């Protein structure tokens, strides 16, 4: 689905554990629903240029990793 909707030049996949999804977004879902989301996102995860486990990172740390990767990614247009 991600490829049909946007077909991005760079795909960055963010991972978060079930307990932290509940804490960070105040989500009201079960572990089964979380597992279903992981299943739905499996294709994107497998084809991502970068996977970032966010469990032990603050938002700035995630941003820094993503920007550092983008800066070094081949064929990234200069801005």
């Amino acid at each position: 689905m991600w490829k049909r909707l946007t077909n991005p030049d760079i795909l960055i996949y963010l991972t978060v554990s079930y307990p932290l999804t509940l804490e960070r977004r105040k989500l009201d879902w079960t572990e089964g629903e979380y597992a279903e989301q992981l299943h739905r996102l499996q294709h994107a995860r497998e084809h991502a240029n970068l996977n970032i486990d966010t469990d032990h990172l603050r938002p700035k740390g995630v941003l820094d990793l993503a920007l550092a990767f983008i800066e070094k990614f081949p064929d990234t247009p200069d801005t």
Side-chain angles (χ1 to χ4, degrees), residues 35-76:
E36 178 60 28
Q37 289 299 324
L38 292 180
H39 176 72
R40 290 178 182 171
L41 294 168
Q42 180 178 349
H43 188 264
R45 184 175 55 253
E46 291 171 354
H47 290 86
N49 302 100
L50 175 64
N51 288 285
I52 301 174
D53 182 350
T54 68
D55 277 6
H56 303 290
L57 296 172
R58 294 177 181 262
K60 175 89 168 78
V62 175
L63 177 62
D64 289 346
L65 287 172
L67 290 176
F69 179 80
I70 291 168
E71 287 176 5
K72 295 177 182 174
F73 192 79
D75 300 319
T76 302

Side-chain angles (χ1 to χ4, degrees), residues 20-38:
L20 284 178
T21 63
L22 301 177
E23 183 181 317
R24 289 179 180 173
R25 293 289 178 187
K26 309 296 185 239
L27 297 174
D28 184 21
W29 60 1
T30 66
E31 284 189 67
E33 291 167 320
Y34 170 80
E36 178 60 28
Q37 289 299 324
L38 292 180

